[in-house]
Amino acid sequence: MGFFKNKNTHNMSERQKLASRYNGARHNILLVIAFTLINCILCAVGSSSYFLFSAAIPYYSVMFGLYWTGRMPNEFYDVDFQPDPDSYLYMCLAIAVVSIAFYLLCWFLSKKHGYGWLVATLLLFVADTFAMFYYSGFTADMIMDFVFHVWVLVSLARGVIAAVNLKKLPEEEPYIAQEGQSYSYIPQAEMPAVQDAEIVVTEDVVEETNK
């Protein structure tokens, strides 16, 4: 971390813009995790409610597990339907849990261990989008889901590109505040995949900070 010149939100540095874009992609992963978990729970308890901003594979896994084991409403089945063993449900629930856990792992590790984990999230969500197309097809009632998936894919791709460009930037020169000037503090967490800037602290900075 270091001390840099104060910049307003309308005149952000290139480093700040890229870091903001990267962190925005990570925040979207959290939203996907939260709404996917909510939708899976709602499906498991028999609710017909469904929220956007959800991954398809975990949700479909829960739904198929319930269907194959005869736990869906009667109107979903033919009269000669024979339910599968409960082991099918447990397997589908395990797939859902592992999928959500992997998203959470990618979100956590992408903060300190580079953008490779964001790339992994992007690839997983690409697979999720194909799975949604495969099982649901392109129908009118799925338009919002498709729009959401495309939006998340674009957000993740922009985050990866931002992280790559951050690594290409030269290290930012440390700035020592002079008397009467202000400085802003940029946390390390907001500059992913970038080496820490050198800290230069002098007596003038200490005196200005203590005022």
Side-chain angles (χ1 to χ4, degrees):
M1 60 182 178
F3 297 106
F4 300 93
K5 289 185 178 180
N6 188 31
K7 298 178 182 293
N8 59 48
T9 56
H10 299 289
N11 190 30
M12 296 175 65
S13 69
E14 182 68 15
R15 185 181 301 274
Q16 289 172 317
K17 290 178 182 178
L18 294 173
S20 176
R21 191 174 299 167
Y22 181 86
N23 288 329
R26 293 186 66 251
H27 294 159
N28 287 336
I29 298 174
L30 270 187
L31 290 177
V32 169
I33 294 170
F35 283 104
T36 301
L37 185 60
I38 291 172
N39 283 337
C40 288
I41 293 174
L42 291 175
C43 182
V45 299
S47 173
S48 60
S49 299
Y50 179 84
F51 294 96
L52 296 175
F53 235 86
S54 173
I57 291 177
Y59 180 77
Y60 286 155
S61 297
V62 174
M63 184 175 63
F64 289 147
L66 294 173
Y67 175 80
W68 289 334
T69 55
R71 288 176 168 82
M72 299 289 281
N74 292 332
E75 58 265 25
F76 285 87
Y77 302 104
D78 297 328
V79 292
D80 56 347
F81 175 80
Q82 296 295 324
D84 291 311
D86 287 347
S87 58
Y88 281 69
L89 175 61
Y90 302 147
M91 177 185 66
C92 291
L93 291 177
I95 293 173
V97 170
V98 170
S99 298
I100 295 174
F102 186 74
Y103 279 114
L104 185 61
L105 179 67
C106 290
W107 169 80
F108 180 77
L109 294 179
S110 64
K111 181 177 182 179
K112 295 292 185 181
H113 298 278
Y115 64 90
W117 290 98
L118 194 63
V119 174
T121 309
L122 175 60
L123 295 177
L124 180 60
F125 209 77
V126 168
D128 191 90
T129 303
F130 277 111
M132 184 180 63
F133 272 103
Y134 179 80
Y135 288 113
S136 300
F138 191 82
T139 58
D141 59 332
M142 295 295 295
I143 290 178
M144 291 305 299
D145 270 313
F146 294 143
V147 170
F148 154 73
H149 271 70
V150 170
W151 187 85
V152 172
L153 288 174
V154 170
S155 171
L156 294 174
R158 283 165 55 87
V160 171
I161 294 172
V164 172
N165 290 334
L166 270 171
K167 290 182 69 68
K168 295 179 180 178
L169 289 178
E171 291 189 12
E172 197 163 10
E173 290 294 332
Y175 174 75
I176 302 176
Q178 303 298 323
E179 184 177 356
Q181 294 181 322
S182 61
Y183 59 83
S184 61
Y185 169 68
I186 304 177
Q188 179 181 359
E190 294 185 4
M191 295 187 289
V194 178
Q195 295 181 350
D196 294 339
E198 181 183 358
I199 302 175
V200 178
V201 180
T202 67
E203 294 181 359
D204 292 337
V205 175
V206 176
E207 292 175 0
E208 180 67 19
T209 305
N210 293 331
K211 287 183 179 181

